[in-house]
Structure formats: C-alpha cells, structure tokens
Amino acid sequence: MSEVTRRAFIGAGAAVGGGAVAGGGAGGGAAPGREEPPFGPVVVRPGDPRYEDLAVRRTNQRFRHEPEYFCLATTTEQVVQAVQDAVRAGRRVTVRSGGHCYENFVGDGAQVVIDLCEMSGVSFDRKRGAFAIEAGATLMNAYRTLYLGWGVTIPGGQCGGVAAGGHIAGGGYGPLSRRDGLTVDYLHAVEVVVVGRDGRARAVVATRDPADPDHDLWWAHTGGGGGNFGIVTRYWMRDPRARGDDPATLLPRPPRTVLSGLAMWSWDGMDRASFRRLLRNYAEWHVRNSDPGSPYLSLWGSLLIPGRQAGADPGGVIMPTQIDAGLPGAEKLLRDHFAFVAEGVGPRQLVLPLTREPWHQAVRNLSLGADAESGRYKGKAAYLRESFTDEQADVAFDHLHEPGEISSAGLLWLLSYGGKVNTVPPDATATVERRSVLKALNLVTWQPDQDGDAHLAWVRSLHRGLFAGTGGVPVPGGNCGGAYINYPDADHADPAWNTSGVPWSTLYYGGNYARLQRVKRRYDPRDVFRHALSVRP
C-alpha cells in the first residue's frame, strides 16, 4: 500500500469516528502551593541539541526550517519582545503554531521563527464572556477541554494536531461546519502582535464589536490567513447569538452520539462512465442537501479516491460518513445517502456495519497520529459549487485509474461543505466563499528516496487539467468557488501554472482583498509579516 493510500484509509477511519484527530494535551498549571517554574522566552540556536527537534517540527517534510534561531514564547509579552528584537536587528521573522502549512511560509527566508507550541491554554475568560484559546493549542486540545469542561465545542477541522493559530485565522471548517458554520463565525476577539510604521511592536486586542476602532483587524482574522498582519497569540470564541454568561450556552454543543459508516467501491470494474457518475452523484447530493433547513445538516463525510494500486488488490474509492445519531431516523438518513451516491455506479458498493459512539469517545479513539500526518507532499485545492463536469471527471480518471509509482501515491479528495456555512454574507467575514458545497483537494506524497519533482509534476498536471477551462486554476464562477487559504498553493501565484489572467488574490479572497490590503497597510505597513501568498500592502 502506498503512503498516500495508507493515510487515506487512516484518515477515513478518523473521519468516520467523530470528526477530530490527533493532538496534544492541555498545559496544566502549577499544583496548589507550588510556584510554577519560569519558562520562556527560550532562544535555541544551531548547535543546541533542541535545535534539531524544532527544525523538524512540521508535517510537510519537503521543507526544513533552519533560522538563525527559534524563539519559544509562552506569553504575549514575550512575543512582543521577540518581535521587537527581530525587527530592531533587521531580521526576517515568521511564526509557527502547529506546523501544518502546505507551503514553506514559515521557513522560506526566515531568520527568526517564533514558535508558539507552548502557548496552548484553553479556558473561559469570564471578563470577556468568551472562551480563550491560545494560538499554540491543538484542535484536539481545544475539543477536549471545551467539551469536558463545559460540554461545548467549536466547528473546527478533523486534523486534531493542527493548532488554532493558523487554523482559525484562515477560516476553519470541519465535520460540524454544515450544521454550525465556520470556526471564524464564532470569533469574538483576537489578540495580535503587530509592528507599526515606527518599528515598534505592540499587542492589539480586536473585537467583533463594530464600534471597536480595531474592528477591521478582527475582521481580517476571520479568513484572511495566518502570517499576514502580525502574530496571533490568543483567540476568544463565542456564539454571536448567545445571551447571558453561562459558558455552557456560549458555543455549540456537539452531537451526544455519532453514527458512522464507510462505503467503498473497488477500482476493479470502475470504468470511465461509472467514475463520472460517482463524482456527479456525490456532488449532486450535496447540492440538494445543503439548505439551512435540511435534515442532513449534521451529515458530514468525504469521498477519497486514491490512485489505483498495482497487484491483486487495486484499492478503490472510500466514503467515510457520519451523522448525529440523535436525529430521528438517523440510520435511514445515512443509508439513503449511501444509496444516492451509489445509484448507477459500478462496481457494487460495499457498506461496512454502522457504528455508534459517544462524540468525544470517537474523537479520542480514532485520532490520527503525527506519523500519518507527516511526510513529503504537495496539495492543491478548490471550492466546488456543483459537480465536476464530465470532462473534469475524465481528467481525474486518467490520472488515477492506471496504476503507477506516482499515480498510486496520488489522491483526489472531496469533502463535505455548505449548509450553515453558506448562510453568512460573503463580506461579513474575510472568508468570501459562501456558495460552495464541497472542497476538492488534489494530493500526492512521496518518500525521501523517490523523485519529488516527478510527483510534483503529476499533481500539477492533475490540477491544471481539472481547471483547464479557466487557465489551470479554480477561478470563481460556474461550478467553482476559488480556493481556501488554509490549503495554500504557491503555484496559484506563478504565471507558469496560472494562465487565467486572474490574480491569486482573487482565487483566495475575491472581492474582500481590497479591504484586507487596507488592514495590511494600517497594521503591518513595513510588511514585516509576509510569505509567498501574503496580503500585499
């Protein structure tokens, strides 16, 4: 089994189980009566044995972070000082929280990397009436603490090892988003370390309140992406519709139990016509069942299509799906979904026995380990407002159907979207795309001894072929809704791969880009915080 296929099966199991995977624990406080030992800021330079551990602390092993030094901070004040020191010395500074960036935004040209892995607190801030999540807290950390502490959660991603810092700033979505919306739809306030025109670093707390003079900085962090305007140290989360001060009522409650199922189709007998029908059925189901009143809003899943494997077992298409088990007729809803997607598709669909688990038990038991998230890979993504055309489906079929060393390590992944996400106006948050019903991800992985350039060429060919009608990139319009900044692809800014005449900023931000630029000019006028796809001042 290829690495990408192994990851696909593990990921499928995690998605079936409850919607969050992998993670770390919440940082504990000092025991009563004991003084907590001081920590940070810690500066780690080459030659220090800790340097190597920090250099490899990222999931995409294509890149290596080798700055002049790493700075680990545990307080906002330490981050302010670390940024100030770097700016005063004229050093290029970047920030890292979970280390899950698809591109080399952290390491590319960085002389100082501020690492926030130890800023991992999750708590209720009674003064603000909202939950505080520090930027280094992993999603699994946040899910566990919010749920076990108050019975609530946020509609974040399924990869629990991702940290809040970049995830929330980029929009944030996951298994509960069809029911509850995006993570940023619950952003109450954000704390950001910024650098003024005078070169002075300072911390700003920006809130949802339109009367807040820093309200635009809050808005920029509702989908503007990480590493653009400053360094986020803390988020506060609260449902904007909530009233009162009872923490148990201020964020969504997850399902009490989750009903999960897994459907599969073998590559054996999967011809071009069946492949077209499968992709069309899956998208059409989401088009029909993404209205706010749909009984299917709590259904979330994905269609994973790994490349065909050589040998007796060719592998096949995997469809992990889950639904709130407390819904009336939940099992019928789930089985009807499987039947709709299977209609007219050969070979015969295999559905494994359904499972029912408490929500957090599933999260904990089916977590995805860091070894399965880590590797050399390239991802390229798009929003879909409706199905791929038959011509687009044929491109995917041609790239995935024939077994080969590279294609067998490739993957087309369609993920559920829409529902409550699309009830928010496109300018209410920086996340502009509020019409799509699926996210599409093209992915390829490879081993250190394999030809990475050949693998890159394969996934680039797949992506360019899928969007050949719009210059090789997912230009918003028709069946496409642009791209998601948390799945960044630097090729979108490269005229060799983007021949559409549409700038990368339109793909990711649409009509919201001009406002993001105004925020950039105000809060980062020296362009201290920048990367390959950062907002240009």
Side-chain angles (χ1 to χ4, degrees), residues 76-77 79-80 128 189-196 200-207 212-219 221 229-236 519 522-524 529:
T76 299
E77 292 74 21
V79 174
V80 170
R128 291 193 179 275
V190 59
E191 183 177 62
V192 193
V193 175
V194 299
V195 178
R200 185 173 67 88
R202 62 190 177 97
V204 177
V205 174
T207 71
D212 182 350
D214 295 304
H215 176 73
D216 272 0
L217 185 63
W218 167 87
W219 178 87
H221 285 85
F229 312 99
I231 296 181
V232 173
T233 54
R234 183 180 290 105
Y235 297 100
W236 286 269
V519 177
R522 178 179 174 188
Y523 291 96
D524 187 21
F529 304 101

Side-chain angles (χ1 to χ4, degrees), residues 13 18 24 108 115 117 127 129 188 220 230 299 373-374 387 443 446:
D108 188 16
D115 193 305
C117 64
K127 180 179 178 180
H188 182 71
L299 186 146
E373 290 184 284
S374 180
S387 176
L443 187 73
W446 61 93

Side-chain angles (χ1 to χ4, degrees), residues 62 376 378 406 444-460:
R62 288 173 59 203
R376 288 168 167 78
K378 171 70 173 179
I406 298 176
V444 70
T445 67
W446 61 93
Q447 300 300 316
D449 60 349
Q450 292 180 311
D451 185 350
D453 289 341
H455 286 74
L456 283 170
W458 181 89
V459 75
R460 284 167 166 161

